[in-house]
Amino acid sequence: VFFPSFAGILLASIIIAMGYSFLSGSMDALIHDSLVVLKRTNDYAKVASRAQSLSLIVNAAIIALIPLLYPIDERLPFIVGALAYLILFSLASLLTEPPVHHDPEKAERTFVRAVRQIVTRKTVLFFSTAGLAMALATALVDLYNLSFIELGLSPQYMGLLYAAGSVAGAAIGFVVHHLRHLSFKQYATLDLSINIMVMAAIGLTQSLPLVIAAQIINMAMWRYQGIMYQHYILQIFGNTRYKATLLSITNNFKIAHEIWLVLIFTGLASQFGVLNAVSMGIWVVLAVWPVLMISISRLQRAKLQPVIVTQ
């Protein structure tokens, strides 16, 4: 609204990325610490997914209606977005730390030492590979949008497509926690299979109805991808003092992978076309799967330096 230029957009993107870096892991850690106090840590996936489900109902309305403000005044969607973040800020200011008490000696560590405690030679393969697996679900989104248009979807209906994904996500949010009964490897395989489904629908079938159906399923399941990965990680390392750091590390690896994936696939799209570039992603996912399976096995055998948690 106030700095509508490339420099302004770049600066705003950097600032919002910094904000999300603080959010990443901290909200999830607050939920888990609250469940520690309530002695319900096994319900993390259930509680987090239902919270996500409720938020998706509001999200569906926002992404369906906000674009309609653009023809009235091109600044209105961004003003509404800023108001939404102010509401989020006010709600976050009301939160308090759950009364989980940690060993004071263990708590007096620097950020770098906390990261070094978590990212070790036994865990680095998992964090890097899991980050790549999660990045494959988001790095190609812009190519997906171009694919929808190339396959005949009018841009004005794009908001409705994403709203449908949010509605589907809200619907499954009350049952998706049952996926926790799958093993970590089984869930990771399911997650990668959904990515392949979308890529195959776009790059191989090139049928708009199939692509729309696949993308709605993909968006609905993607909403809970992070929660499920966090569930399995916390099952292994739930007693660590540094939950926010632990949970944000995978996201940081994901962001790093998104950078090169976007560059690679946009380059492929410029050479071979958008639809062909998306289909090439299938081979990347198939190559990632066995490495991810191995990394999960290594993670399950790894042991962080124990940290005592008392109530």
Side-chain angles (χ1 to χ4, degrees):
V1 174
F2 301 107
F3 198 178
S5 65
F6 177 78
I9 294 171
L10 181 61
L11 179 61
S13 298
I14 293 172
I15 293 173
I16 199 170
M18 292 171 62
Y20 274 112
S21 72
F22 283 100
L23 284 176
S24 176
S26 59
M27 292 190 296
D28 313 298
L30 281 172
I31 293 174
H32 193 268
D33 275 350
S34 299
L35 293 174
V36 168
V37 175
L38 297 172
K39 298 182 180 179
R40 293 178 54 194
T41 52
N42 289 334
D43 287 338
Y44 175 80
K46 179 179 180 179
V47 172
S49 62
R50 289 189 174 183
Q52 176 76 300
S53 180
L54 292 173
S55 70
L56 286 176
I57 296 173
V58 179
N59 184 71
I62 289 175
I63 61 177
L65 298 177
I66 295 303
L68 301 179
L69 298 175
Y70 191 83
I72 301 173
D73 190 316
E74 60 186 17
R75 298 169 296 181
L76 281 178
F78 304 100
I79 292 174
V80 173
L83 291 175
Y85 276 116
L86 286 173
I87 294 172
L88 176 61
F89 176 80
S90 62
L91 292 174
S93 69
L94 301 176
L95 299 176
T96 59
E97 289 281 350
V100 176
H101 306 292
H102 303 278
D103 186 337
E105 293 185 6
K106 302 292 185 180
E108 292 177 1
R109 293 182 181 270
T110 64
F111 171 74
V112 174
R113 292 182 66 187
V115 172
R116 290 179 64 183
Q117 182 193 28
I118 294 169
V119 182
T120 68
R121 60 183 180 84
K122 294 182 179 180
T123 63
V124 66
L125 178 64
F126 168 78
F127 287 118
S128 58
T129 310
L132 176 55
M134 297 173 72
L136 285 168
T138 54
L140 275 67
V141 168
D142 289 330
L143 289 184
Y144 290 170
N145 292 337
L146 293 175
S147 299
F148 303 150
I149 295 172
E150 189 166 327
L151 292 173
L153 180 67
S154 176
Q156 64 182 324
Y157 298 123
M158 197 76 73
L160 295 177
L161 172 61
Y162 280 93
S166 291
V167 171
I172 69 171
F174 291 92
V175 296
V176 73
H177 63 277
H178 290 298
L179 291 176
R180 64 184 174 177
H181 297 302
L182 298 176
S183 70
F184 198 170
K185 291 182 179 179
Q186 288 171 337
Y187 172 76
T189 300
L190 173 64
D191 182 50
L192 291 177
S193 298
I194 293 173
N195 288 336
I196 289 179
M197 176 186 67
V198 178
M199 294 172 182
I202 292 173
L204 301 181
T205 71
Q206 298 186 9
S207 166
L208 184 58
L210 288 178
V211 168
I212 291 174
Q215 179 64 355
I216 289 175
I217 295 172
N218 177 54
M219 287 188 292
M221 292 299 295
W222 169 76
R223 295 290 187 177
Y224 304 96
Q225 180 195 59
I227 292 172
M228 293 307 300
Y229 271 91
Q230 290 163 4
H231 163 72
Y232 291 111
I233 292 171
L234 288 170
Q235 278 190 325
I236 301 171
F237 301 129
N239 286 337
T240 180
R241 171 68 176 83
Y242 307 103
K243 290 176 189 173
T245 304
L246 173 69
L247 296 177
S248 64
I249 281 175
T250 305
N251 189 59
N252 291 338
F253 274 98
K254 169 192 170 184
I255 293 171
H257 282 303
E258 284 178 341
I259 296 171
W260 69 265
L261 283 172
V262 167
L263 294 174
I264 292 295
F265 278 96
T266 52
L268 291 172
S270 67
Q271 293 293 321
F272 304 104
V274 173
L275 301 183
N276 289 330
V278 172
S279 67
M280 294 176 187
I282 296 173
W283 301 106
V284 179
V285 176
L286 292 175
V288 168
W289 178 80
V291 183
L292 182 57
M293 297 298 103
I294 294 170
S295 72
I296 290 174
S297 295
R298 286 173 58 89
L299 182 76
Q300 291 169 333
R301 293 194 299 267
K303 296 293 181 182
L304 289 178
Q305 183 178 339
V307 177
I308 299 174
V309 179
T310 59
Q311 297 181 34

